[in-house]
């Protein structure tokens, strides 16, 4: 156990020091080659940007749309990634020259230096090509620096994986001494950050076939650690530990959730296309393909807590909020625990428990229209006029359907408790 604690402390040190190290290494490449350089990870997320200007007036053509967007938004689009990967950069072990293509928004040619560690590509250094451009000797020297970047990226990946393992241990622990020990180890790994306000974000279902396949915390704003957890019988969710500025604002968590939903949608879209280098890369990385219709991702945000002791409860809240967002589009795509109303109670019920026997006949596919009518009627506080308007039907049609609901269920819609039972059962069926 003590070896694990020492490893986590070292991982935290590596993560805190790496940002400055990346910038220094990218600046070294820029000075070595005399051209601007940028560093992106293998998911085309910007890590560092080295501005080099030998004349004091950078050529405006250097700022083509692709380069400008990468610097300003710190990422490239899936289409840009597909286009660049088409030149074989994921397999290359040396510099790859990419010609200018104005119609693709690439006004200047590029030189890509693949960043590898032990044969695995972890990122790319991008250079603006010129005439005559860097010599072979200069590029060889730059590849040496890229190798040092690869070692640093590998160290950071191990650090992030360590925090992810500790977070997962906390969230899957059954309680008692096991959870206490897991929390203590996570607290040791985080150091002074452990006492800050935190919350958890649940993104589900996460479009990955591998429960250990999760983004790097570096790519998620405000994320401290993240891990994959089971979701339903065969799916997976993503748990993200987010550090807050205070317990009064969830803005950092909402930002992190929105970013992850965007990444999940891009992954689903790429897999759905089923062709091209981007989809092939997604499949190779473990993506199982598009989430089935009706199973788009949603995110839930738990309540804020100071410290780590209540992370188990926060995860239950975040998961419940995600389930509510999937069940009720009006809550999504990002739902907060504090704002899901009665679903705070409904999500506490066993997900695989049987439906109430009185309401069960109404929940068959053949009675879908009657169930929807009953739900809209109860949502509108039993007001027939508003219900008929919402459904676009005549009042007499509404009364007929409601009588059929009473016949099927044996419930009296003039009785408050019967109406409560029916309303709860219909809402729970969405979950």
């Amino acid at each position: 156990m003590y070896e694990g604690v020492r490893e986590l402390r070292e991982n935290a040190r590596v993560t805190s020091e790496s940002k400055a190290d990346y910038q220094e290494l990218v600046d070294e490449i820029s000075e070595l080659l005399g051209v601007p350089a940028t560093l992106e990870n293998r998911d085309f997320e910007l890590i560092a940007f080295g501005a080099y200007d030998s004349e004091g007036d950078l050529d405006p053509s250097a700022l083509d749309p692709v380069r400008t967007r990468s610097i300003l938004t710190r990422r490239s689009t899936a289409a840009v990634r597909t286009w660049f990967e088409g030149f074989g950069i994921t397999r290359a072990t040396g510099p790859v020259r990419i010609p200018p293509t104005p119609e693709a928004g690439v006004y200047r040619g590029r030189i890509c230096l693949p960043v590898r560690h032990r044969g695995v590509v972890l990122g790319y250094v991008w250079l603006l090509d010129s005439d005559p451009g860097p010599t072979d000797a200069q590029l060889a020297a730059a590849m040496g620096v890229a190798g040092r970047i690869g070692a640093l990226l590998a160290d950071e990946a191990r650090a992030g994986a360590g925090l992810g393992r500790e977070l997962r241990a906390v969230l899957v622990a059954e309680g008692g001494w096991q959870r206490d020990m897991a929390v203590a180890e996570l607290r040791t790994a985080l150091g002074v950050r452990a006492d800050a306000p935190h919350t958890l974000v649940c993104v589900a279902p996460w479009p990955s076939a591998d429960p250990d396949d999760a983004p790097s915390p570096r790519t998620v704003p405000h994320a401290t650690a993240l891990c994959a957890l089971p979701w339903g019988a065969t799916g997976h969710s993503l748990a993200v530990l987010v550090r807050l500025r205070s317990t009064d604002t969830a803005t950092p968590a909402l930002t992190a959730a929105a970013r992850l939903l965007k990444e999940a949608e891009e992954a689903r879209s790429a897999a759905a296309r089923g062709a091209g280098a981007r989809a092939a890369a997604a499949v190779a990385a473990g993506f199982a393909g598009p989430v089935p219709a009706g199973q788009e991702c949603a995110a839930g945000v738990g309540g804020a807590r100071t410290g780590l002791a209540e992370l188990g409860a926060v995860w239950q809240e975040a998961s419940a909020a995600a389930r509510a967002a999937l069940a009720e589009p009006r809550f999504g795509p990002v739902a907060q625990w504090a704002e899901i109303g009665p679903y705070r109670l409904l999500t506490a019920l066993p997900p695989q428990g049987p439906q109430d026997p009185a309401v069960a006949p109404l929940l068959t596919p053949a009675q879908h229209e009657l169930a929807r009518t009953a739900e809209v009627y109860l949502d509108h506080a039993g007001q027939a006029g508003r219900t008929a308007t919402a459904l676009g039907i005549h009042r007499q049609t509404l009364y007929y359907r409601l009588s059929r609901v009473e016949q099927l269920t044996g419930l009296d819609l003039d009785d408050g408790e019967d109406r409560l039972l029916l309303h709860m059962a219909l809402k729970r069926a969405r979950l």
Side-chain angles (χ1 to χ4, degrees):
M1 183 180 72
Y2 295 109
E3 287 297 327
V5 171
R6 281 197 292 270
E7 178 186 356
L8 287 168
R9 284 175 174 163
E10 175 62 16
N11 287 342
R13 181 192 64 79
V14 167
T15 301
S16 63
E17 293 178 356
S18 60
K19 292 183 179 179
D21 292 340
Y22 289 132
Q23 189 61 57
E24 290 177 4
L25 291 170
V26 170
D27 288 341
E28 183 177 341
I29 291 178
S30 293
E31 292 290 338
L32 181 64
L33 302 182
V35 293
T38 57
L39 170 63
E40 296 178 335
N41 65 17
R42 62 184 171 191
D43 294 320
F44 283 54
E45 301 277 354
L46 184 67
I47 296 175
F49 169 56
Y52 179 84
D53 183 3
S54 61
E55 301 295 331
D57 184 18
L58 185 65
D59 183 354
S61 67
L63 297 177
D64 60 36
V66 169
R67 182 177 176 83
T68 300
R69 187 186 191 281
S70 175
I71 294 172
L72 294 180
T73 67
R74 304 193 69 81
R75 66 184 318 199
S76 295
T77 65
V80 168
R81 176 175 175 172
T82 300
W83 190 80
F84 279 123
E85 287 180 344
F87 290 90
I89 61 175
T90 60
R91 303 180 299 276
T93 57
V96 177
R97 277 190 159 86
I98 298 173
T101 309
E103 59 270 25
V106 179
Y107 298 160
R108 289 279 299 275
R110 303 288 204 273
I111 300 176
C112 176
L113 307 181
V115 176
R116 292 182 173 272
H117 183 72
R118 295 183 178 178
V120 178
V121 64
L122 300 176
Y124 308 99
V125 173
W126 296 96
L127 313 167
L128 292 174
D129 204 358
S130 59
D131 188 14
T135 66
D136 290 343
Q138 287 177 309
L139 289 174
M143 284 298 297
V145 180
R148 289 154 55 196
I149 295 175
L152 194 61
L153 283 170
D155 286 343
E156 185 179 1
R158 284 192 291 269
L163 285 174
R165 286 193 301 270
E166 295 306 312
L167 176 61
R168 191 177 194 279
V170 171
L171 300 184
V172 301
E174 295 182 356
W177 68 270
Q178 290 182 339
R179 175 162 290 171
D180 291 343
M181 181 176 291
V183 169
E185 293 187 357
L186 180 58
R187 182 180 291 112
T188 299
L190 292 174
V192 296
R193 294 178 294 169
D195 296 323
H198 287 93
T199 191
L200 284 164
V201 173
C202 172
V203 182
W206 185 252
S208 171
D210 183 354
D212 296 322
D213 180 24
S216 167
R218 166 183 286 279
T219 68
V220 183
H222 312 293
T224 299
L226 48 78
C227 64
L229 293 171
W231 182 265
T234 59
H236 301 98
S237 63
L238 202 64
V240 188
L241 180 63
V242 177
R243 185 178 179 182
L244 304 175
R245 291 185 289 272
S246 74
T247 57
D248 297 329
T249 176
T251 301
L254 298 176
T255 301
R259 176 60 168 273
L260 285 166
L261 288 176
K262 185 174 183 180
E263 290 194 11
E265 177 59 29
E266 289 180 355
R268 292 174 64 250
S269 297
R273 285 193 294 271
R278 178 68 180 92
V283 172
F287 286 107
V291 177
Q295 291 293 307
E296 293 187 358
C297 291
V301 179
R305 306 288 199 285
T306 298
L308 308 175
E310 297 183 68
L311 283 186
V314 179
W315 174 242
Q316 295 300 321
E317 294 172 359
S319 301
R323 289 177 63 199
L326 288 168
E328 287 278 9
R330 62 190 173 90
F331 289 137
V334 180
Q336 298 184 64
W337 164 255
E339 298 178 357
I340 61 174
Y343 281 91
R344 291 197 293 270
L345 295 176
L346 294 173
T347 53
L349 298 174
Q352 303 303 324
Q355 290 289 349
D356 183 86
V359 184
L362 190 62
L363 300 177
T364 63
Q367 305 302 336
H368 173 75
E369 185 176 67
L370 288 181
R372 178 171 178 268
T373 298
E375 185 175 6
V376 174
Y377 175 70
L378 295 170
D379 285 346
H380 287 83
Q383 296 184 25
R386 292 174 59 199
T387 304
T389 299
L391 292 171
I393 60 177
H394 193 276
R395 279 199 186 197
Q396 291 303 317
T397 303
L398 172 64
Y399 293 141
Y400 170 75
R401 291 183 184 179
L402 293 178
S403 68
R404 290 282 296 129
V405 170
E406 291 181 322
Q407 293 170 11
L408 279 171
T409 64
L411 299 176
D412 181 359
L413 293 183
D414 289 330
D415 182 275
E417 289 191 356
D418 281 3
R419 286 162 67 155
L420 175 62
L421 171 61
L422 178 58
H423 208 179
M424 290 180 62
L426 290 169
K427 293 299 185 186
R428 181 174 178 242
R430 290 182 172 275
L431 296 171

